Amino acid sequence: MEDTPPSATAVPRGTVTQRAIERIKAMIGDGLLEPGQRLPTERDLAAQLGISRSSMREAIRALTVLGVLEARHGSGIYVTQLRAGDLLETFGVVADLSRGTRLVELLEVRRILESTAAALAAARITPEQLALVEGHLAAMNATDDPEEILAHDLAFHRAIASAAGNETLAAILEGVSSRTFRARVWRGYQEEGAFARTRREHAAIHRALLARDPEAARAAAAAHVGEVEEWLRAQVNT
């Protein structure tokens, strides 16, 4: 069955495709399609949902881009494992491409999420995870190379997000804290001689984790990101 020619009563392609996307998502949400399961053939699924194969093809393509479906060469289309990191991967594009006030908004979001992650990590962190955080803190303190500091800064915060024990929170933080985004902000911020302050702020977060004090960790993380946020806000408003 193919799409009917455009007419005064024809449903716009975008609407048909969007409906197909929502139906497939509903099938997954209702458990009719499980993670890792192969979809029916394009022809069968189109007939089942009462739409054309071309609209179904567009819906499958869109869900593949979003990380919901994956095409396996010679095997068919499958539901992914639906891990938060895969589904939220495209979120990082927003951080990479934003400018001006949008960057400030992203830092505001990051401040809220980082402080929550730090509080959770203080309550849940294992000795092994704490050792990993300490390792990146020591590496940051042992160098003045901006690239090395940036790499260990990313790893320091990623280790804390992982220790929070919430995969979805960690995936969202990964999106708003991409290396490209961090590098763009750091270039200007660190030119203002903020290395020493950044090291002190990281040390304060580490002390709160070591003490397993969620509220102290929350406050230290909020203060750390807040410093950068206020600096960037001033830059945008000048």
Side-chain angles (χ1 to χ4, degrees), residues 34-62:
E34 297 286 351
Q37 183 177 337
R38 185 180 185 277
L39 265 67
T41 65
E42 184 181 283
R43 181 190 299 274
D44 290 345
L45 194 55
Q48 181 180 339
L49 300 184
I51 64 171
S52 69
R53 290 182 64 185
S54 57
S55 292
M56 177 54 63
R57 193 173 303 121
E58 290 179 7
I60 290 173
R61 186 181 300 120

Side-chain angles (χ1 to χ4, degrees), residues 22-44:
E22 295 304 320
R23 291 285 298 279
I24 295 172
K25 285 164 59 180
M27 291 173 71
I28 296 171
D30 293 340
L32 300 176
L33 290 171
E34 297 286 351
Q37 183 177 337
R38 185 180 185 277
L39 265 67
T41 65
E42 184 181 283
R43 181 190 299 274
D44 290 345

Side-chain angles (χ1 to χ4, degrees), residues 34 36-39 68-72 75-80:
E34 297 286 351
Q37 183 177 337
R38 185 180 185 277
L39 265 67
V68 176
L69 303 177
E70 62 177 337
R72 299 181 188 174
S75 180
I77 306 297
Y78 289 77
V79 180
T80 67

Side-chain angles (χ1 to χ4, degrees), residues 91 94-95 98-117 169 172-173 175-177 181-182 185 218 221-234 236-237:
F91 188 69
V94 178
S98 295
R99 303 174 58 190
T101 55
R102 186 61 57 82
L103 275 177
V104 177
E105 290 178 357
L106 283 168
L107 274 171
E108 187 174 48
V109 171
R110 188 186 149 212
R111 172 169 51 81
I112 294 166
L113 297 179
E114 288 273 11
S115 59
T116 299
L169 176 59
I172 296 173
L173 270 172
V176 299
S177 306
F181 171 65
R182 292 272 187 111
V185 174
R218 186 192 306 275
H224 170 52
V225 181
E227 285 280 353
V228 185
E229 180 189 337
E230 289 307 310
W231 171 82
L232 183 60
R233 194 184 303 277
V236 170
N237 292 332

Side-chain angles (χ1 to χ4, degrees), residues 172-200:
I172 296 173
L173 270 172
E174 187 72 20
V176 299
S177 306
S178 71
R179 184 182 180 87
T180 301
F181 171 65
R182 292 272 187 111
R184 290 167 62 200
V185 174
W186 266 60
R187 273 196 294 270
Y189 183 59
Q190 297 301 340
E191 283 173 6
E192 309 244 338
F195 277 119
R197 181 167 63 243
T198 299
R199 285 170 172 148
R200 287 195 302 270

Side-chain angles (χ1 to χ4, degrees), residues 122-144:
R124 299 172 176 175
I125 196 164
T126 66
E128 294 76 17
Q129 290 170 326
L130 187 57
L132 185 60
V133 172
E134 290 170 348
H136 291 299
L137 178 61
M140 277 188 285
N141 290 337
T143 181
D144 288 322

